[in-house]
Amino acid sequence: MKTKSVKIGHVIIGGGFPVAVQTMWKKPLSKNTDEILSEIKRLKNMGCDILRFSVPDSTSSEYLGKLIPDSVIPLVADIHFDYKLALECIGFGIQKVRINPGNIGALWKVEEIVRAASDKNVPIRVGVNGGSLPRDLQNYGNRADAMVLAAERELNVFEKLGFKDVVFSLKSSDIESTVSANSTFSEKYQYPLHLGVTEAGPLIPGIVKSTIALTKLLAQGIGDTIRVSLSDEPVNEVIAGNEILKASGLKNDGVSIISCPRCGRASFDTHKFVKKLEPLLYSLKKNISIAIMGCIVNGPGEARDADLGITGSGDNVVIFRKGKIIHRIKASEAVKIFTEELEKID
Ligand code: SF4
C-alpha cells in the first residue's frame, strides 16, 4: 500500500521507500555520551536505521539532546505522560517524537506538542497499544477494532490541527489483533505504519511471533518501518528485523547465511565459526550468500551456489567458492583466510 512519506532526519519512511528497521535503547540515558554514540554506530553497522529512547524525565531529555548532533542515525524520543518532555526534546532537535496521546492527558497538551513539532518539522508517531487503550475502549468487543478506533480518535486531533507528519503504530501482544488492526487501518488511511508485536517475549518466541505477524502484513505491502520487540539486546532486534525483511524479499543488500545445524559427521565447529563471524556478516552490505558446513559430505556439494563457503575435511578445513575448493587450511587459520576471501568479493 502506498503511504505518504515522512522524513525522520535523513531517513524517509513510507511513500514506497525501503522499510526501515528500528530498535530501542534499553538502559536509562546517561552522561556517557561517547559510549552511547559508539554503540549507536555499532547498531547502524548491523542495519539499524532509527533508534528510540525512553525519556522519563528532564535529565534524560538533556542527555538525549547531547546525542542528537553526533548520532549517525535519527533518534526518536518516547514520551509517555509529560508533554513538557516532548517540547524539551523538540527544542534539542530530536528527529521524531513518539507519544501515546491517551497518556498525555488534556487535548491542549497534545496541541502544544503538535505546534512545536510543526514549527520544527518533526514528525510524531502515535503509538496505540492494545494493552493500554483508553478506558472506554478497554472492554470493546474486538481488540483490533478498538485499536483502530483509538488511532482514529488521535488522527482526528492531528487532522483538526492540520498536522500531517504522523506515523501510526497499532501494536498488540497477540498476532491476530496486530495483523487485523494494521490491515484495517491501512485500508482506510495512507499514513505510514510502524509495525511490531508489543511485548513479544524472549529471543526465540519473540522472533517467531514477530515474524508471523510482520510477514503477513509485509506480504500485503503493509508496513513502512518495523521493530522486533524482544526481551533481549537491541542488536538482536536489529538482526531479526533485517532478516525478516530479507526473507520477505524486501531487502537484498546483506549477506545470506547458509549454515548447517551440525551432526555427528561434523569435523568443523560451525556453531563457533558462525558466532565468531556473525558481527562481520551482519554488517556487510554485500548481496552474497555464504555457506558454513560441518563436513565435506554435504559441504561444497550442498552449498555449491554459495559465493563463499567453508567446511571441515578431516583435520583440515576447506574454503570453496561456487563449489570449487580454493584453500585447504588448518582450522586455526579459518577465520583469517575466510575473512580475507570475503573482503575480495564485490
Ligand atoms: S553438513 Fe555434514 S555436519 Fe552438517 S549437518 Fe550435514 S552431514 Fe552433518
Side-chain angles (χ1 to χ4, degrees):
M1 313 277 165
K2 184 95 181 246
T3 48
K4 74 185 282 304
S5 59
V6 168
K7 202 163 175 286
I8 300 152
H10 65 268
V11 175
I12 302 176
I13 62 166
F17 279 82
V19 178
V21 172
Q22 44 183 299
T23 184
M24 193 160 182
W25 190 254
K26 304 206 173 187
K27 298 178 222 160
L29 274 153
S30 69
K31 57 181 166 214
N32 298 329
T33 306
D34 290 345
E35 211 175 282
I36 301 175
L37 285 171
S38 96
E39 185 57 20
I40 295 175
K41 260 190 203 149
R42 185 171 86 96
L43 288 170
K44 181 189 190 288
N45 284 340
M46 298 299 269
C48 180
D49 299 305
I50 298 167
L51 179 63
R52 178 162 51 116
F53 287 84
S54 268
V55 183
D57 49 38
S58 275
T59 313
S60 306
S61 71
E62 271 172 41
Y63 289 146
L64 181 56
K66 292 200 165 48
L67 298 173
I68 297 166
D70 296 316
S71 173
V72 288
I73 50 176
L75 305 182
V76 182
D78 195 316
I79 312 293
H80 271 280
F81 300 105
D82 188 350
Y83 80 104
K84 288 193 214 114
L85 297 173
L87 302 182
E88 281 176 19
C89 291
I90 292 169
F92 288 134
I94 197 74
Q95 284 98 353
K96 182 172 154 209
V97 171
R98 184 257 169 166
I99 56 169
N100 180 344
N103 289 340
I104 295 285
L107 183 59
W108 66 265
K109 294 180 183 170
V110 178
E111 289 176 357
E112 287 272 309
I113 298 174
V114 170
R115 258 191 291 275
S118 188
D119 284 351
K120 294 267 176 97
N121 293 321
V122 175
I124 297 177
R125 168 159 72 97
V126 175
V128 173
N129 192 322
S132 60
L133 288 167
R135 206 164 284 162
D136 62 313
L137 293 177
Q138 280 170 8
N139 296 316
Y140 196 85
N142 175 314
R143 165 86 60 94
D145 289 347
M147 287 160 66
V148 174
L149 268 177
E152 283 174 331
R153 281 184 190 171
E154 307 311 336
L155 178 56
N156 288 337
V157 174
F158 283 83
E159 286 194 337
K160 262 192 208 133
L161 296 167
F163 188 78
K164 298 263 164 63
D165 276 346
V166 197
V167 178
F168 280 85
S169 64
L170 298 93
K171 298 187 182 183
S172 166
S173 54
D174 85 88
I175 295 168
E176 283 318 311
S177 303
T178 302
V179 172
S180 170
N182 282 282
S183 302
T184 307
F185 188 87
S186 80
E187 273 167 26
K188 298 170 89 172
Y189 305 104
Q190 289 197 313
Y191 288 97
L193 278 168
H194 162 130
L195 303 183
V197 174
T198 193
E199 294 117 23
L203 188 67
I204 294 173
I207 290 176
V208 171
K209 266 184 173 180
S210 303
T211 304
I212 293 172
L214 269 51
T215 49
K216 281 185 184 180
L217 290 162
L218 292 167
Q220 299 172 63
I222 299 169
D224 303 286
T225 176
I226 62 171
R227 179 197 173 197
V228 177
S229 301
L230 300 172
S231 307
D232 209 277
E233 293 301 311
V235 73
N236 285 333
E237 295 192 355
V238 172
I239 294 169
N242 277 291
E243 290 301 311
I244 289 172
L245 295 182
K246 279 196 247 167
S248 302
L250 293 169
K251 194 159 198 171
N252 61 6
D253 65 346
V255 176
S256 161
I257 306 171
I258 301 153
S259 65
C260 89
R262 213 172 68 189
C263 72
R265 281 185 187 154
S267 59
F268 177 56
D269 190 344
T270 52
H271 298 194
K272 205 166 134 195
F273 190 77
V274 169
K275 271 266 152 299
K276 196 141 209 161
L277 270 254
E278 258 177 348
L280 170 67
L281 295 176
Y282 290 130
S283 64
L284 277 182
K285 298 280 172 271
K286 292 184 181 186
N287 183 13
I288 56 169
S289 63
I290 66 121
I292 300 168
M293 312 298 273
C295 75
I296 199 81
V297 176
N298 292 329
E302 278 200 5
R304 75 176 65 83
D305 293 329
D307 294 290
L308 190 66
I310 187 163
T311 188
S313 171
D315 288 341
N316 293 324
V317 293
V318 293
I319 293 179
F320 49 93
R321 191 181 281 167
K322 295 278 184 199
K324 278 209 167 125
I325 294 176
I326 52 170
H327 291 288
R328 199 175 285 276
I329 52 174
K330 295 260 163 268
S332 56
E333 301 169 291
V335 170
K336 180 177 171 287
I337 295 181
F338 194 82
T339 308
E340 283 168 8
E341 288 299 331
L342 256 182
E343 277 159 11
K344 285 185 203 162
I345 304 176
D346 290 329

